[in-house]
Amino acid sequence: MPNGIKVAFASTDMRHVDQHFGSAKSFVMYEVDPENATMTDAVEFGALDQDGNEDKLDAKIQALSSCAAVYVQAIGGSAITKLARIGVQPMKVQPGSPISQLVAELQAQLRAGPTAWIARALQGEKTGERFDGMEAEGWNE
């Protein structure tokens, strides 16, 4: 998507952001460009506890690896760290925020001139990728 990005929303009804990242039962994914938005996928997970089960994050992180951002009502520090490693921007929004409104805001940002995280996503830059080449070449401090 040359002028757009893929984003995910933690949602049980596919219309509102209503879940904490760690205990999210589902994510709905959209491809968004300045003029169009298309729901492309929905990923479901079983019921999970919010605290004390860090293994639950790995499947979610993997499911979101192609996204530029994930919109949630809340998110913990370990999830933020794992998302940053793969270049996914966590976006905390008010519980119950309508996905349609968030998509419209994202489209407005794309039309007006993207923010830094959107610009990185449009360029296909993932956090850590710029260092991968150095590591492969045997770069040392």
Side-chain angles (χ1 to χ4, degrees), residues 3 13-14 16 44 79:
N3 295 324
D13 67 3
M14 296 188 170
H16 302 90
E44 293 190 23

PDB file of all heavy atoms in Angstrom, residues 3 13-14 16 44 79:
ATOM      1  N   ASN A   3       0.473   4.527  -0.437  1.00  0.00           N
ATOM      2  CA  ASN A   3       0.026   5.735   0.254  1.00  0.00           C
ATOM      3  C   ASN A   3      -0.789   5.430   1.489  1.00  0.00           C
ATOM      4  O   ASN A   3      -1.484   6.289   2.001  1.00  0.00           O
ATOM      5  CB  ASN A   3      -0.809   6.605  -0.694  1.00  0.00           C
ATOM      6  CG  ASN A   3       0.006   7.132  -1.835  1.00  0.00           C
ATOM      7  OD1 ASN A   3       1.171   7.457  -1.679  1.00  0.00           O
ATOM      8  ND2 ASN A   3      -0.601   7.189  -3.008  1.00  0.00           N
ATOM      9  N   ASP A  13     -16.673  -6.091  18.944  1.00  0.00           N
ATOM     10  CA  ASP A  13     -17.837  -5.934  18.063  1.00  0.00           C
ATOM     11  C   ASP A  13     -17.476  -5.439  16.664  1.00  0.00           C
ATOM     12  O   ASP A  13     -18.364  -5.211  15.849  1.00  0.00           O
ATOM     13  CB  ASP A  13     -18.877  -5.014  18.704  1.00  0.00           C
ATOM     14  CG  ASP A  13     -18.403  -3.570  18.840  1.00  0.00           C
ATOM     15  OD1 ASP A  13     -17.290  -3.232  18.397  1.00  0.00           O
ATOM     16  OD2 ASP A  13     -19.179  -2.767  19.408  1.00  0.00           O
ATOM     17  N   MET A  14     -16.206  -5.242  16.388  1.00  0.00           N
ATOM     18  CA  MET A  14     -15.697  -4.763  15.095  1.00  0.00           C
ATOM     19  C   MET A  14     -16.154  -3.342  14.777  1.00  0.00           C
ATOM     20  O   MET A  14     -16.036  -2.891  13.647  1.00  0.00           O
ATOM     21  CB  MET A  14     -16.052  -5.711  13.966  1.00  0.00           C
ATOM     22  CG  MET A  14     -15.419  -7.065  14.103  1.00  0.00           C
ATOM     23  SD  MET A  14     -15.700  -8.016  12.608  1.00  0.00           S
ATOM     24  CE  MET A  14     -14.644  -9.394  12.901  1.00  0.00           C
ATOM     25  N   HIS A  16     -16.008  -0.789  17.693  1.00  0.00           N
ATOM     26  CA  HIS A  16     -15.465   0.076  18.748  1.00  0.00           C
ATOM     27  C   HIS A  16     -14.187  -0.535  19.315  1.00  0.00           C
ATOM     28  O   HIS A  16     -14.072  -1.754  19.402  1.00  0.00           O
ATOM     29  CB  HIS A  16     -16.473   0.234  19.892  1.00  0.00           C
ATOM     30  CG  HIS A  16     -17.773   0.796  19.453  1.00  0.00           C
ATOM     31  ND1 HIS A  16     -18.811  -0.003  19.036  1.00  0.00           N
ATOM     32  CD2 HIS A  16     -18.196   2.070  19.335  1.00  0.00           C
ATOM     33  CE1 HIS A  16     -19.832   0.769  18.693  1.00  0.00           C
ATOM     34  NE2 HIS A  16     -19.481   2.036  18.869  1.00  0.00           N
ATOM     35  N   GLU A  44      -9.003 -13.766  16.034  1.00  0.00           N
ATOM     36  CA  GLU A  44      -9.612 -14.048  17.329  1.00  0.00           C
ATOM     37  C   GLU A  44      -8.700 -14.900  18.193  1.00  0.00           C
ATOM     38  O   GLU A  44      -7.978 -15.762  17.692  1.00  0.00           O
ATOM     39  CB  GLU A  44     -10.952 -14.744  17.132  1.00  0.00           C
ATOM     40  CG  GLU A  44     -11.972 -13.840  16.487  1.00  0.00           C
ATOM     41  CD  GLU A  44     -13.366 -14.433  16.501  1.00  0.00           C
ATOM     42  OE1 GLU A  44     -13.654 -15.295  17.355  1.00  0.00           O
ATOM     43  OE2 GLU A  44     -14.166 -14.019  15.650  1.00  0.00           O
ATOM     44  N   ALA A  79       4.062  -5.309  26.630  1.00  0.00           N
ATOM     45  CA  ALA A  79       3.466  -5.348  25.293  1.00  0.00           C
ATOM     46  C   ALA A  79       3.992  -4.191  24.447  1.00  0.00           C
ATOM     47  O   ALA A  79       4.299  -4.369  23.260  1.00  0.00           O
ATOM     48  CB  ALA A  79       1.950  -5.296  25.380  1.00  0.00           C
TER      49      ALA A  79
END
